[in-house]
Amino acid sequence: MAKTETLTADEMVAQADTGGRNVVGFQAKLIIGLCIVWSLFQLYIASKIPGVLAQATGVSFFANVVAQARFVHLAFALTLAHLAFPLFGDKNRIPWYDWLLVAISIAATLYLVVFRFDIATRPGLWSTTDLVMSALGMVALMIAVFRSLGLPLVIIACAFLSLAFFGGYSEWIRNLTNFGGASFSKAMGHYWMQTEGVFGVALGVSTTMIFLFVLFGAILDRAGGGNWFIKVAIALLGALRGGPAKASVLSSMMTGMISGSSIANTVTTGTFTIPLMRKIGFPAEKAGAVEVASSTNGQLTPPVMGAAAFLMVEYVNIPYIEVVKHAFLPAVISYIALLYIVHLESLKMGLTGLKKPGRRIGVLMILILFITGFLFMAGITFLLVLFRGLMDPLMGGDSIGAALVLLALAYLALVYVASRYPDVEPDDPNAEEVSAPRLTPTLLGGAYYALPIFVLVWNLMIRTESLDRLSPALSAFWAAVVMIVVALTHRPLKAMFRGESTFAREASAGFVDFVEGLIMGARNMISIGVATGAAGIIVGTISLTGAHQIIGEVIETISGGNLMILLILVAVLSLILGMGLPTTANYIVVSSLMAPVIVTVGAQAGLIVPLIAVHMFVFYFGILADDTPPVGLAAYAAAAISQGDPIKTGIQGFSYDIRTALLPFLFIFNTDLLLIDVGLAKGVFVFVVSLVAMLLFAAATQGYFIAKSRWYETVGLLIVTFMLFRPGFFLDKIEEPYNTQVGPAALTAISEAPAGAPLRLTISGPDFDTGEIADTTIQISPELDGDAMARLDPYGLTIMEEGDSLLLEEPFPGTPYFEQIGNNYDFYGDTPVTVSQVQLENDRLPKEIFFLPALLLMFGIAALQWPRRTQAPF
């Protein structure tokens, strides 16, 4: 660790994200050139140009993005990994063996492009050349992973490879998975020659989605958008109590929307905010910890979340807009709670804020500005949707042209307004006197940076009668195109509006920003590209061997079938793996292995766990690993800026993030927080109650509410938190949640249940693998009227009465519950599979009634602390 502690923050970013090699001359130009070409290639395949060229010439210039482009994508990632990341510490030159690895990487990946038609004629019948290229490609990939991500992912991938080759020698593995081991030919073909392994879903998502979002963020940052976020946050919050720390939270949240790396986010915002926090009295470790906690959580912030969120689209098989909807409330609650934690820390230390020229903005005014800003954006969006709706009948599909004209006019107007104010330039946080800038000139001086983000959100979320919402890939592409236009033109346009004679110089500077954005976008993608390729080995092994059954068996045995213990084990596993794996690879590994296990164990315990809740659980803990000591790289980066102790910074940062660690457990037991089957009115109610609960939890963990808390007051706050988050727990103790019926009465309950009412069916029978009797619970909501058989038929469920038992027939493949029931139960053994009980929700008191005693207890604690307060609460 001593070596890591001597690195500067920028060196850590280079070492972890963009490559630590520092070469000059031709070698440097080659790396820069490859980065530019890679970014342009990704923009090319995301556009309609390949299809147009294919129609015009009859030749496919990467028109089939799904297949061909991912080979080229990995070729770029491997080549740049070998060139930009030193293998044996040789930072100032590229040795001969790296050139050899580059040649191998290019040959092994582009072989699949050049000879794709020949390979397609012999699927599964791999030639010697196929196998040699596959083996060389796998070796080059493992070396690239080692040099760009370290040893942990290499070890995990090699463990799965060993399972594929040698797992058949274990009788226990053979009995559990029915896998007898793979030959070299079969394994190499599976991993490299097909889209089941390295070139699978993860790399496909990296190719079509992740790169464009990362590129969009890189160009926005290089054009000045990142600095504008920071300055707006400091202008808005800097003068409040502990203002720089609050500005750090807000700016990291906004920067996190465009940054795919918590380490880069830490350095980008921390370079400005950490010295400001030190100036007003924050200790080094706490200043670094605030930045770490807010930067790692940046990947949780919709609409642009971390790279793993795009993988979630494929793994859960839901639109990206649904992922954004499910992630929205937890992210907002988490960040507001962190702002509150920072406020409590400031109160405990008696800190003030930065000086600010002009009128000081109070807390109430800030809340009004936030609400007004949201209403203004909502109003603009509503007017645009109305405009499109009016134009569609008149212009048909050409109404998009009118929308583009409107966008261009809005951009010119915003740039003109910005030209009336000084440019938003970065301040020196180490200056003797630092003050918070005024909000109006800062906000309006760069408001045009919000336009590309608006375009992105519009494309992701808004749908009209004639135009469906775009895919995440196309949304990112058009947002990137708009951002490129902004990067190239905003400087010369401002010079022109100001009447300055620097048009050519400013145009040149804009072009430099654009090129640097292309370079940085590609360099930020190197680690993600090779990580998704290596993670494909793990996913490929699971599909080849059934490895998830082995891990599931081990974890289930350790947890004893207890869902809470299982969740804690999965959380710990995510944190441990996250110490050595990037968030994306960590998410792929843990979700591939553990998501089915959590769903199964939950069903066995009678809890219906939505798959999106499980994936969000894994996603959150994978991100939290970035500040988990002793190997939280974001904490080391923050400590390098604050000059504090990295271990203490990581521990303090994780203590701030406990409130975020609480949320994933709530996803499992209270899915209202993910807005699953929740309307607008109830969604607002859930948000308010959950926010109050999270703020009280933050007060409990900080030991400070209105005054310093005594131990029994802390316990009381934790009880209130639990009652607000899980009111159903207490109601279940008073009234049974379900009316349970068995045998023929269960069929009557199914036939008489109101249309759309949720019914829980408990399936009992011999497990297909072990033969032991196992229970699982499924939930249906029959809409059709009729007898029980007719209402079960749409779900592929067929029940036969036999005495007092309800025998369940095996569901057919393709029916909704074939995977969950048909694959897990032995329908041909001596013991039949039955529906042991049917449960319908009881008509009982609303669980929200327990909010009343919780709030009374909260006010009681406030009344106890009020006489002990030593300062104003704000």
Side-chain angles (χ1 to χ4, degrees):
M1 290 300 168
K3 182 179 178 182
T4 306
E5 292 178 48
T6 62
L7 296 175
T8 66
D10 290 332
E11 287 172 337
M12 282 182 198
V13 174
Q15 189 181 75
D17 288 336
T18 61
R21 183 166 272 155
N22 184 21
V23 292
V24 295
F26 166 75
Q27 296 179 347
K29 291 178 181 177
L30 177 63
I31 294 175
I32 291 172
L34 285 173
C35 288
I36 294 172
V37 172
W38 191 12
S39 292
L40 293 175
F41 171 77
Q42 295 291 156
L43 289 170
Y44 164 77
I45 63 172
S47 69
K48 294 184 178 180
I49 297 176
V52 172
L53 289 177
Q55 287 183 349
T57 65
V59 180
S60 175
F61 295 96
F62 297 100
N64 186 358
V65 173
V66 175
Q68 299 171 41
R70 64 181 70 177
F71 303 143
V72 181
H73 181 82
L74 186 62
F76 275 113
L78 293 178
T79 299
L80 286 170
H82 294 307
L83 293 177
F85 290 85
L87 184 58
F88 298 118
D90 200 339
K91 295 184 177 181
N92 300 318
R93 67 184 185 91
I94 302 174
W96 66 269
Y97 52 81
D98 282 345
W99 292 112
L100 177 61
L101 287 168
V102 166
I104 291 173
S105 300
I106 294 173
T109 48
L110 298 191
Y111 173 80
L112 299 170
V113 177
V114 175
F115 297 98
R116 61 186 183 278
F117 298 115
D118 185 39
I119 293 171
T121 62
R122 43 183 170 79
L125 303 174
W126 313 121
S127 67
T128 303
T129 307
D130 294 340
L131 298 179
V132 170
M133 286 297 179
S134 299
L136 290 174
M138 293 285 284
V139 171
L141 175 60
M142 287 294 98
I143 295 174
V145 170
F146 171 71
R147 68 201 310 165
S148 60
L149 298 169
L151 197 57
L153 185 55
V154 177
I155 293 174
I156 294 171
C158 288
F160 278 85
L161 286 172
S162 300
L163 177 64
F165 285 117
F166 308 114
Y169 292 103
S170 167
E171 184 178 351
W172 176 66
I173 293 177
R174 285 201 309 273
N175 292 337
L176 192 61
T177 64
N178 296 317
F179 175 70
S183 65
F184 180 80
S185 175
K186 181 179 179 180
M188 287 298 102
H190 186 79
Y191 288 125
W192 195 264
M193 299 301 296
Q194 303 178 132
T195 55
E196 298 290 331
V198 172
F199 301 101
V201 171
L203 190 67
V205 172
S206 177
T207 304
T208 57
M209 291 190 211
I210 298 174
F211 193 106
L212 292 171
F213 280 94
V214 172
L215 180 62
F216 167 75
I219 298 174
L220 177 59
D221 183 56
R222 289 293 167 177
N227 175 62
W228 179 66
F229 287 156
I230 296 170
K231 294 295 291 288
V232 168
I234 295 175
L236 190 63
L237 302 176
L240 299 179
R241 187 188 295 273
K246 293 172 180 174
S248 170
V249 175
L250 182 60
S251 60
S252 294
M253 180 187 73
M254 293 189 293
T255 306
M257 292 192 299
I258 62 171
S259 171
S261 165
S262 57
I263 303 170
N265 194 357
T266 299
V267 173
T268 300
T269 56
T271 300
F272 298 96
T273 58
I274 290 176
L276 294 181
M277 284 187 267
R278 295 295 310 277
K279 277 185 180 295
I280 66 167
F282 267 85
E285 285 75 18
K286 287 192 175 183
V290 169
E291 183 57 52
V292 167
S294 51
S295 292
T296 52
N297 285 185
Q299 294 184 68
L300 306 174
T301 310
V304 183
M305 301 162 68
F310 302 106
L311 291 164
M312 207 180 296
V313 172
E314 299 295 325
Y315 290 160
V316 186
N317 195 27
I318 60 175
Y320 183 71
I321 183 66
E322 289 295 311
V323 175
V324 169
K325 184 186 81 171
H326 296 316
F328 179 74
L329 282 191
V332 173
I333 290 170
S334 178
Y335 265 105
I336 294 177
L338 184 55
L339 281 170
Y340 184 57
I341 288 173
V342 166
H343 180 71
L344 293 178
E345 288 280 27
S346 303
L347 283 173
K348 288 191 287 186
M349 292 184 283
L351 304 181
T352 59
L354 296 174
K355 294 181 180 178
K356 184 175 182 178
R359 185 166 57 90
R360 187 177 183 273
I361 302 177
V363 175
L364 180 60
M365 181 57 67
I366 289 174
L367 290 175
I368 293 173
L369 285 173
F370 269 120
I371 295 171
T372 305
F374 277 118
L375 291 176
F376 177 75
M377 292 301 294
I380 292 292
T381 304
F382 174 77
L383 289 176
L384 283 172
V385 172
L386 182 63
F387 173 78
R388 283 296 307 273
L390 293 174
M391 295 300 294
D392 280 348
L394 299 175
M395 304 183 67
D398 293 333
S399 63
I400 190 172
L404 289 175
V405 170
L406 196 63
L407 178 67
L409 292 175
Y411 172 58
L412 290 173
L414 288 173
V415 173
Y416 176 77
V417 171
S419 69
R420 304 297 94 187
Y421 297 97
D423 288 338
V424 182
E425 299 288 350
D427 292 328
D428 180 8
N430 297 305
E432 288 294 326
E433 290 291 333
V434 180
S435 61
R438 294 187 60 195
L439 179 61
T440 301
T442 306
L443 181 63
L444 296 180
Y448 55 87
Y449 288 121
L451 268 183
I453 299 176
F454 178 79
V455 171
L456 175 65
V457 175
W458 172 279
N459 288 333
L460 282 172
M461 298 186 179
I462 304 301
R463 179 173 56 191
T464 64
E465 290 185 6
S466 65
L467 185 68
D468 201 358
R469 65 171 66 98
L470 299 184
S471 68
L474 273 178
S475 300
F477 169 74
W478 288 114
V481 168
V482 174
M483 190 61 242
I484 290 170
V485 173
V486 171
L488 290 172
T489 62
H490 76 106
R491 289 175 182 269
L493 282 175
K494 282 194 288 187
M496 183 181 70
F497 288 140
R498 289 168 178 163
E500 299 172 348
S501 59
T502 57
F503 184 90
R505 188 178 66 193
E506 295 297 337
S508 176
F511 182 76
V512 170
D513 288 340
F514 164 60
V515 172
E516 288 182 348
L518 294 178
I519 296 168
M520 188 52 59
R523 296 198 73 150
N524 288 339
M525 274 301 300
I526 298 172
S527 298
I528 296 175
V530 297
T532 51
I537 295 175
I538 296 162
V539 177
T541 303
I542 292 172
S543 65
L544 181 66
T545 66
H548 63 285
Q549 297 179 36
I550 303 170
I551 306 296
E553 181 80 11
V554 172
I555 296 294
E556 282 188 64
T557 301
I558 296 173
S559 66
N562 185 293
L563 181 60
M564 180 56 74
I565 296 176
L566 175 62
L567 292 173
I568 293 173
L569 289 174
V570 172
V572 171
L573 176 64
S574 296
L575 293 175
I576 292 174
L577 289 178
M579 293 180 187
L581 300 184
T583 303
T584 307
N586 187 7
Y587 166 75
I588 294 171
V589 173
V590 180
S591 64
S592 299
L593 294 174
M594 299 311 306
V597 179
I598 295 175
V599 172
T600 300
V601 172
Q604 291 173 352
L607 183 68
I608 308 297
V609 184
L611 190 57
I612 181 62
V614 178
H615 281 261
M616 289 290 290
F617 183 94
V618 175
F619 178 56
Y620 263 60
F621 276 104
I623 289 171
L624 288 176
D626 278 348
D627 68 355
T628 305
V631 198
L633 294 180
Y636 278 87
I641 300 171
S642 69
Q643 301 301 309
D645 182 273
I647 300 297
K648 291 181 180 178
T649 300
I651 294 172
Q652 186 69 54
F654 190 74
S655 74
Y656 291 156
D657 266 343
I658 289 176
R659 97 262 175 228
T660 307
L662 176 68
L663 288 171
F665 289 95
L666 299 176
F667 298 160
I668 305 297
F669 297 102
N670 184 4
T671 57
D672 287 352
L673 198 58
L674 295 177
L675 297 181
I676 296 176
D677 298 327
V678 171
L680 177 61
K682 186 177 180 182
V684 173
F685 181 73
V686 168
F687 169 71
V688 172
V689 172
S690 299
L691 178 59
V692 171
M694 185 57 72
L695 296 181
L696 293 175
F697 180 75
T701 56
Q702 290 301 305
Y704 196 101
F705 185 31
I706 295 173
K708 186 176 181 180
S709 298
R710 293 167 179 160
W711 70 267
Y712 52 85
E713 292 170 339
T714 298
V715 172
L717 289 173
L718 291 175
I719 292 173
V720 174
T721 300
F722 183 77
M723 293 177 74
L724 293 178
F725 272 133
R726 284 278 288 143
F729 175 84
F730 299 96
L731 184 59
D732 291 345
K733 301 299 180 183
I734 299 173
E735 293 185 81
E736 286 292 330
Y738 299 104
N739 176 20
T740 303
Q741 300 291 339
V742 299
L747 293 179
T748 304
I750 295 173
S751 61
E752 294 179 354
L759 287 169
R760 293 160 52 94
L761 279 64
T762 301
I763 313 300
S764 180
D767 184 271
F768 184 82
D769 296 311
T770 66
E772 297 180 0
I773 300 299
D775 292 337
T776 190
T777 301
I778 62 173
Q779 182 169 297
I780 61 174
S781 300
E783 297 289 344
L784 302 175
D785 291 327
D787 61 16
M789 303 306 175
R791 304 190 84 180
L792 292 174
D793 186 64
Y795 299 95
L797 302 175
T798 303
I799 294 176
M800 295 184 300
E801 280 190 74
E802 189 173 290
D804 291 334
S805 299
L806 301 179
L807 306 187
L808 180 67
E809 292 188 0
E810 182 179 13
F812 287 107
T815 54
Y817 290 101
F818 172 73
E819 292 292 332
Q820 188 174 353
I821 299 174
N823 283 344
N824 293 332
Y825 285 98
D826 182 4
F827 284 85
Y828 303 100
D830 295 332
T831 304
V833 180
T834 64
V835 176
S836 58
Q837 62 181 19
V838 173
Q839 295 179 318
L840 181 66
E841 287 187 3
N842 272 325
D843 185 15
R844 54 181 188 161
L845 290 171
K847 62 183 180 182
E848 288 78 13
I849 197 171
F850 288 95
F851 290 160
L852 294 177
L855 294 175
L856 287 174
L857 179 56
M858 179 190 73
F859 287 124
I861 295 171
L864 285 174
Q865 293 197 357
W866 188 259
R868 304 202 310 268
R869 72 190 190 284
T870 58
Q871 54 192 321
F874 294 101

